[in-house]
């Protein structure tokens, strides 16, 4: 399940930095990772360490967006807590998808626009929310 | 500084063109919309000038600061447009707010977080999107749009 802790938090990791200095090239071969990259960055995996960006041309993994780098870290390192504030609203559905596969906890310092069909454990309140309205009621108390 | 400043940042692939109207401008929005690329281009231009392969057209100098260097750089600038990326937590500090308050610079801050210490207008919160004005060109043109516009 996806766990969210809203607001300032100690010992939370910054996804883009973690990714740039710690990514494993094998992660890029994962079809789920490739789907996230194609959807968020509109960028296609070409093999090896090369992606084809419609804006930047051929790019290395370090040039992927901070949002998708953070999604990959959350997916690949579920034991660590990352700051999902690096992820825009277009990453929301992928956070939910990751939460269907793994138990992950993320920190969030803004009100991300999730789709209404969600299943999130809000750490601050100790409750599970299953609609965007319930999520919103929890989030506004902290961000 | 007072008034509106038109800024163009470009290389052979991508061009950003926008106006900065107030002393604090916030940029937020979807991942992969080009926020960090804009910051990186200005940062590279700061280090290498025209040798960077980047062109910046602006009446005022555009500079970048980060968490490690912000106070040293801001002490030396009072008439510049200062860009700060989201990986600088200092933007939430009272120290940073005080420095801005006593500064003549304009600030462009990339963040999704609310910054209660800083007096910015909801009208000056922008996203970045591709412009439809130059659809046939090879270069991607990006412009700012007002996220919370009511008009």
């Amino acid at each position: 399940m996806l766990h969210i802790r809203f607001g300032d938090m100690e010992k939370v990791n910054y996804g883009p930095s973690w990714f740039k200095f710690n990514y494993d090239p094998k992660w890029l071969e994962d079809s789920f990772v490739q789907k996230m990259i194609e959807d968020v960055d509109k960028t296609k995996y070409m093999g090896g360490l090369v992606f084809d960006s419609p804006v930047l041309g051929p790019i290395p993994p370090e040039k992927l967006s901070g949002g998708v780098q953070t999604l990959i870290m959350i997916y690949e390192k579920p034991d660590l807590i990352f700051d999902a504030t690096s992820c825009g609203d277009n990453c929301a559905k992928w956070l939910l998808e990751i939460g269907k596969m793994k138990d992950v906890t993320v920190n969030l310092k803004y009100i991300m626009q999730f789709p209404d069909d969600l299943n999130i454990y809000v750490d601050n309140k100790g409750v599970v929310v299953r609609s965007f309205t319930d999520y919103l009621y929890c989030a506004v108390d902290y961000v | 500084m007072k008034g509106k400043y038109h800024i163009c940042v470009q290389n052979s692939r991508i061009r950003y063109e926008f106006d900065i109207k107030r002393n604090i401008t916030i940029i937020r929005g979807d991942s992969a919309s080009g926020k960090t690329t804009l910051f990186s281009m200005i940062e590279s231009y700061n280090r290498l000038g025209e040798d960077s392969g980047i062109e910046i057209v602006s009446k005022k100098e555009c500079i970048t600061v980060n968490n490690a260097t912000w106070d040293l750089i801001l002490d030396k600038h009072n008439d510049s447009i200062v860009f700060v990326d989201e990986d600088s937590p200092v933007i939430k500090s009272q120290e940073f707010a005080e420095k801005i308050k006593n500064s003549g610079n304009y600030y462009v801050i990339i963040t999704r977080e609310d910054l209660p210490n800083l007096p910015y207008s909801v009208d000056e919160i922008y996203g970045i999107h591709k412009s439809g004005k130059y659809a046939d060109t090879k270069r991607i043109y990006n412009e700012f749009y007002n996220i919370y516009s009511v008009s």
Side-chain angles (χ1 to χ4, degrees), chain A residues 52-137:
Chain A
D52 185 21
S53 160
V55 177
L56 303 171
I59 57 168
E62 290 85 351
K63 290 273 189 183
L64 293 170
S65 71
V68 90
Q69 289 177 343
T70 302
L71 284 175
I72 294 169
M73 290 311 305
I74 293 164
Y75 176 66
E76 296 290 353
K77 293 285 183 187
D79 50 325
L80 298 177
I81 298 174
F82 288 96
D83 187 352
T85 311
S86 304
C87 300
D89 291 332
N90 53 341
C91 297
K93 72 174 184 183
W94 292 107
L95 282 174
L96 294 175
E97 287 299 316
I98 293 169
K100 287 176 187 170
M101 292 184 274
K102 301 178 180 186
D103 276 328
V104 293
T105 300
V106 301
N107 179 220
L108 205 51
K109 300 188 186 86
Y110 82 107
I111 299 177
M112 183 179 275
Q113 298 295 302
F114 283 98
D116 196 49
D117 181 21
L118 51 78
N119 193 30
I120 295 171
Y121 184 87
V122 178
D123 275 13
N124 310 65
K125 298 264 190 193
V127 297
V128 175
V129 291
R130 293 197 169 83
S131 72
F132 184 73
T133 307
D134 290 345
Y135 157 85
L136 205 54
Y137 275 120

Side-chain angles (χ1 to χ4, degrees), chain A residues 8 41 85-86 88 90 109, chain B residues 13 31-32 87 92 112-113:
Chain A
D8 289 329
D41 284 14
T85 311
S86 304
N90 53 341
K109 300 188 186 86
Chain B
R13 289 184 180 278
S31 294
D87 60 357
K92 294 172 71 179
R112 294 189 180 93
E113 294 183 56

Side-chain angles (χ1 to χ4, degrees), chain B residues 63-78 82 84 88 90-91 93 95-100 103 105 107:
Chain B
I63 60 171
T64 60
V65 297
N66 60 43
N67 225 42
T69 62
W70 69 276
D71 51 346
L72 293 172
I73 292 176
L74 294 187
D75 281 344
K76 294 178 182 169
H77 292 81
N78 200 41
V82 182
V84 195
S88 295
V90 71
I91 56 176
S93 71
E95 202 181 355
F96 185 74
E98 288 295 326
K99 187 77 89 174
I100 282 189
S103 157
N105 298 318
Y107 293 85

